[in-house]
Structures are given as structure tokens and as C-alpha cells.
Amino acid sequence: IPGGGGGPPPGGGGGPPKGGPPERTAVQKALDTLFELAFKVLYATEPDLRLDSYKNLQVLWVRALLASSGQLDDPVAYQLLPPASRWLVSPAVAPLWAPVLPKLEWIAQRTSFLDSTLDAWIDGLKASGVSPAEAQVVLLGAGYDTRALRYSGDQAPAFYEVDLPVVTRAKGVLSSRYAAATGVRQPAMLPLDLMTCASGAPALEALAPLGLDRSRPTLVVFEAVLFYLSPPAKAALLREAAALLAEGHPASELALTDNLAPFLRSADRKDADDYFGGSLGLQLRQHETLWGGAI
């Protein structure tokens, strides 16, 4: 857990990577091995759920820990962990993890930012007379994101998640269990390797058979996924998202906490305006940066 998963690329303080998956350092590789061994123990009673990337499992456990520590509003993450081992990040044990919590700030920041963005978007729909039940949220590279389960109900948007087949299989097991116990609505899931977007495979268009309606208000979310894609795949995904916004409902928006190198390397708002406005034809509503523009 101390490694946290989903954190900045090596040398994050010195600017963004060149694009594509960041190279793993020797220390990170050693931590990866340690995590693999740890998760074999933590998931000893549920080996099928270990088939997914350990990075996604790390982030899920970190979110549960942050929630138990009062630093994140996510009661679902803890419930998705194995009952036999989740006590390790329970509220009673969370104080023991206090020394490592500062290293997990990035996950707390990005989760809180996107949650507040989603809240504000839903409030805006209501203010304009549009029911959130008519809206939809697309999570690209969703991993074990819990928003579809947290924002559930008769008046909640429909959620669509896209990720690797091995991820959606494991996430589907967890979502089904949680839904059976609580009655919440599960997200629609599309198994897709987003790297294939570089060769023309659509992501958003492929969601249409699952029910995605481009005419409805849509919030497209990128959360720490572009880090791991090649520049051509990044460009294709961002163009497809921009096209959906341009052709779809006027209330549709794009929200991201991610890396845009090599297309955008600066922390300057004007450069971000030029990129989103010039290259993608979008109007930038809000802009903040971390690590000198890496995020």
C-alpha cells in the first residue's frame, strides 16, 4: 500500500514524461514484486480477483485506507475488499498507516477533484431543468472506480466503464456482489484495450450497443489512464471525446486528472487553452496543475 499505485511517473517533480507508459525504476519494480506477494496473501480466498493488474488493486486498497482515515469520502471501496483481510485498512487500524498517508495524497486529490466535478455537473443539470437520470457518465480506464456504485439511485446518471478485459471481469464480480447486497445499479462495462484506439478502434462509439446515447448529457472522465497510453492512443481518445462533446448535448463535458504529454507540457493556463481550444475545439472551464504541469 505505501507505493499507492497510480502516482506520478519517475521524477514527477521534474516535469511530465514523454508520453506512453512511464518506465519503472528498480525500486518500483521491487515494490511491484512485493505487492504481488502481498496480494497473493490478501486474496488467498479469492484468487480469481488477483488476475487483474496489481496496480488497480493497490489503488482500491489505498482508497479504502484513505476513507477509513477520514481523508476521502468513499464508503464503497472498503466493501469491495476481501472480508477476511480488509481489516488491515479498517478505521481501527488506519492510524497505524499515518506515516504513509502523505505519500497517497495524489489519489485523494484526484478522487476528490473528480467527485466535486461530478457533483457540480449534476447540480448544473438540475438547475437547467435536466434530470440527472437522463444523463450518463463514461469512465475511461475505470479500473476499480467506485463512482457508479456510490452515485446510484433512480435519479442518478447511467455509468459506463471501459477497461481491459481482465479488469472488467474482476470488477464485474465485485460490482455484482455489492449490487446484490445493496440493490444499487451496476455500471455497463466495455472490455477494451485502449491502446488499440491508436489503430482506429473506437472506445466511445463502441459503447452505443450498451446503451450510450450521444444526444444525452454526458460527462467523459479520464483518471490517471493517459499516463499508460502511447501518444497516438491518447490523441485518438481525446479526439473521440471532443467529437462527442461537439456533436452531442450542450451540457456534455470532459473532466480529467491525467497527463497530456507530449501534446501539453506547460503549467500555463494559456497553453492549456490553446491545446484544448485549438487542437480539440473545446472550451476550457477549469484548469489546475500538479508537478509542474505533469498533471
Side-chain angles (χ1 to χ4, degrees):
I1 290 176
K18 295 180 180 180
E23 295 182 4
R24 309 294 289 167
T25 66
V27 173
Q28 288 174 319
K29 290 178 180 178
L31 284 173
D32 288 342
T33 301
L34 178 62
F35 283 129
E36 289 181 17
L37 295 174
F39 283 123
K40 286 180 180 179
V41 176
L42 294 173
Y43 286 84
T45 60
E46 301 183 78
D48 289 347
L49 298 182
R50 291 204 314 263
L51 296 176
D52 178 26
S53 162
Y54 289 104
K55 181 71 70 178
N56 286 320
L57 290 177
Q58 289 175 40
V59 174
L60 180 64
W61 279 79
V62 165
R63 284 186 168 136
L65 173 60
L66 290 169
S68 293
S69 303
Q71 298 192 19
L72 198 64
D73 183 14
D74 186 350
V76 175
Y78 184 82
Q79 298 300 321
L80 298 185
L81 302 180
S85 54
R86 64 190 181 197
W87 63 270
L88 288 167
V89 292
S90 65
V93 178
L96 299 178
W97 292 100
V100 305
L101 291 181
K103 298 180 182 298
L104 310 178
E105 183 180 17
W106 156 232
I107 292 179
Q109 285 177 312
R110 77 194 203 199
T111 303
S112 298
F113 173 78
L114 291 174
D115 281 356
S116 64
T117 298
L118 177 54
D119 290 338
W121 184 68
I122 290 174
D123 288 343
L125 293 177
K126 293 178 179 177
S128 63
V130 177
S131 170
E134 300 175 14
Q136 48 201 8
V137 179
V138 178
L139 306 173
L140 293 166
Y144 287 161
D145 191 286
T146 62
R147 289 185 183 89
L149 304 176
R150 288 189 284 122
Y151 288 81
S152 183
D154 294 339
Q155 295 303 308
F159 277 79
Y160 297 84
E161 299 184 352
V162 183
D163 214 317
L164 293 166
V166 68
V167 177
T168 56
R169 281 199 301 272
K171 173 70 175 297
V173 172
L174 295 176
S175 295
S176 296
R177 290 179 184 174
Y178 187 80
T182 62
V184 302
R185 181 174 56 183
Q186 296 184 66
M189 297 184 186
L190 174 67
L192 177 70
D193 183 350
L194 293 174
M195 286 289 280
T196 63
C197 295
S199 57
L204 298 174
E205 183 180 329
L207 287 169
L210 298 181
L212 187 75
D213 185 344
R214 300 172 75 91
S215 68
R216 293 188 175 188
T218 305
L219 180 66
V220 181
V221 177
F222 292 86
E223 181 176 2
V225 61
L226 297 178
F227 269 119
Y228 305 104
L229 301 182
S230 67
K234 283 186 183 184
L237 268 175
L238 289 166
R239 284 196 303 267
E240 190 180 6
L244 184 148
L245 267 62
E247 301 164 4
H249 195 281
S252 293
E253 295 185 2
L254 166 68
L256 56 85
T257 54
D258 226 315
N259 170 264
L260 291 171
F263 315 117
L264 181 62
R265 297 180 178 275
S266 168
D268 189 87
R269 167 69 187 244
K270 182 181 182 301
D271 291 339
D273 273 322
D274 289 344
Y275 171 70
F276 284 105
S279 299
L280 298 177
L282 302 176
Q283 179 185 3
L284 186 61
R285 295 275 305 276
Q286 182 179 353
H287 177 244
E288 301 173 27
T289 62
L290 295 174
W291 309 322
I295 297 296

